[in-house]
Amino acid sequence: MSYLPCVEIEPSSGAANRSVIWLHGLGADGNDFAPLVPHLQLPSHAHVRFVFPHAPQLPVTINGGMRMPAWYDILEMSIDRRVDETQLRQSAAEVIKLIEREIERGIKPEHILLAGFSQGGAVAYEAALTYPQKLCGLLALSTYLATLASIETSPANADLPILIQHGSQDPVVPESLGQQARDWLQQRGYSVTYQTFAMQHQVCGEQVLAINAWLAQHL
């Protein structure tokens, strides 16, 4: 079985009993969010393995066809965010393979959390909401639900805890897209916490504190 290449950070003490699989945004790689790990205040019972996969190199239409790390092609920068859904689902399938690997390593599915920033968040939405076993939670950062018109959700994660965070000044992924995902999920009965911060397309210190509080509750 082949897997996406990943940056992995093992727990500082004890064998891993939780896993967080965290997807980067367009043009970045698995190293992008690894420096955040020391700033996460994890509950004492949670010995967390962090898995930061690298996206494949793909030509991206909105960037003139330039090849770069991308989970899928973005075809236009309209508010509707037209994307290559086939590629997005292929990336989600690769993430699901990483989930299965964590289970093989002894982590229960209900102790595996997915996180994703921007484009990576769209893939994390697809993987988490379609996965056939109950997961721990989903952290959706400055992102959007690209497949809301076609996703086939799994009943196993109908009560999945979801934290959506977005910048109120985001010029790349407008906050309206984060709100659209929130509304779509809430209308279908998902447990959604929505938080906004006075920032652009980034992560801020106040946000990290909020992530810590949420992780303490759900990991």
Side-chain angles (χ1 to χ4, degrees):
M1 175 91 59
S2 63
Y3 299 97
L4 290 168
C6 301
V7 175
E8 295 192 11
I9 300 177
E10 293 291 332
S12 56
S13 63
N17 60 11
R18 304 284 191 279
S19 294
V20 173
I21 301 172
W22 199 315
L23 310 185
H24 62 77
L26 177 66
D29 64 19
N31 294 292
D32 199 30
F33 282 92
L36 192 62
V37 171
H39 302 283
L40 297 177
Q41 299 169 3
L42 305 171
S44 58
H45 65 269
H47 305 296
V48 181
R49 174 187 296 120
F50 286 89
V51 179
F52 300 97
H54 301 294
Q57 296 278 334
L58 298 174
V60 177
T61 299
I62 60 165
N63 289 338
M66 183 184 302
R67 296 183 67 86
M68 63 184 61
W71 298 109
Y72 52 86
D73 190 13
I74 300 176
L75 305 173
E76 60 184 40
M77 282 295 285
S78 68
I79 193 68
D80 294 326
R81 265 311 152 144
R82 197 162 64 91
V83 307
D84 188 320
E85 290 193 15
T86 298
Q87 289 179 340
L88 189 154
R89 289 197 166 92
Q90 288 171 345
S91 288
E94 291 299 316
V95 172
I96 286 172
K97 286 165 63 176
L98 295 177
I99 295 173
E100 299 289 347
R101 184 173 68 173
E102 291 308 298
I103 294 171
E104 291 171 2
R105 289 167 154 180
I107 309 298
K108 297 177 180 179
E110 63 267 28
H111 292 159
I112 299 173
L113 186 145
L114 296 190
F117 177 81
S118 193
Q119 202 189 50
V123 174
Y125 268 132
E126 177 73 20
L129 297 180
T130 62
Y131 192 66
Q133 297 187 73
K134 181 175 175 56
L135 296 171
C136 173
L138 171 63
L139 176 58
L141 307 174
S142 302
T143 189
Y144 55 106
L145 183 48
T147 53
L148 58 79
S150 57
I151 191 170
E152 296 182 7
T153 58
S154 168
N157 282 298
D159 59 351
L160 181 73
I162 302 171
L163 175 60
I164 301 174
Q165 296 181 328
H166 218 104
S168 59
Q169 303 157 19
D170 192 332
V172 178
V173 179
E175 191 193 353
S176 60
L177 291 176
Q179 294 167 338
Q180 180 189 60
R182 174 200 62 195
D183 295 346
W184 188 94
L185 291 162
Q186 288 180 338
Q187 288 164 8
R188 286 155 182 79
Y190 286 92
S191 174
V192 180
T193 301
Y194 185 87
Q195 299 172 342
T196 186
F197 300 88
M199 64 179 184
Q200 297 189 16
H201 199 59
Q202 61 192 99
V203 174
C204 69
E206 181 185 3
Q207 179 183 8
V208 174
L209 294 176
I211 290 172
N212 282 336
W214 188 78
L215 291 177
Q217 184 179 357
H218 295 290
L219 265 183

